[in-house]
Amino acid sequence: MDAKVWMYLAYLTVSIGLTVWVARALSRNGLVFLEDVFADKRLADAVNSLLVVGFYLLNLGYVTVAMKEADPVGDTSQALEQLSMKVGLVLLVLGALHFFNVFALGRYRRGRLRQQAAAHPPLAPVGYLPPQGGSRPVNPAGPTAGQTPPVPPR
């Protein structure tokens, strides 16, 4: 076998190994995040499974499409250089997909939290604040009906 075939085999081995490792790590560690995003464990498990399948499809599809190398591979050093470029691109795609997913799920979570906050009306005031800076004259005779007595400073 020539150097190009060995490069293809190494590329597939490294790329598929990285894809499986990253998918497992994201699936295992991302479940806590998804449970917080969706506030429902069953839904988080289902979305996690769907994200893993989509992750495998996108990454393995990219790996197979990007495998072809048009330039001839003359020696081992050229094969390693081309291999490093291909594996580097796979890693960049993996990272970009991960950050896109986190960004999209974070936006969904913020919208859900904002919607929950809007569903609850604000609390009524418990007391009154003391007057500020003497903008209102104080009645020396005391409060009359319907007036709130001034609160002494602390």
Side-chain angles (χ1 to χ4, degrees), residues 50-127:
L50 292 173
L51 284 173
V52 168
V53 169
F55 185 81
Y56 277 127
L57 290 173
L58 282 171
N59 287 299
L60 294 177
Y62 176 76
V63 164
T64 56
V65 167
M67 186 171 83
K68 181 175 168 75
E69 181 62 43
D71 297 333
V73 177
D75 58 356
T76 308
S77 66
Q78 282 182 334
L80 287 175
E81 289 171 3
Q82 290 175 352
L83 178 64
S84 69
M85 178 64 92
K86 289 182 173 303
V87 171
L89 288 173
V90 169
L91 291 173
L92 289 173
V93 169
L94 287 172
L97 286 172
H98 170 66
F99 282 116
F100 172 75
N101 283 339
V102 170
F103 175 76
L105 291 169
R107 283 185 57 104
Y108 176 81
R109 179 180 176 269
R110 280 191 299 277
R112 183 181 56 80
L113 292 176
R114 201 175 305 121
Q115 189 178 33
Q116 284 178 349
H120 302 292
L123 298 175
V126 177

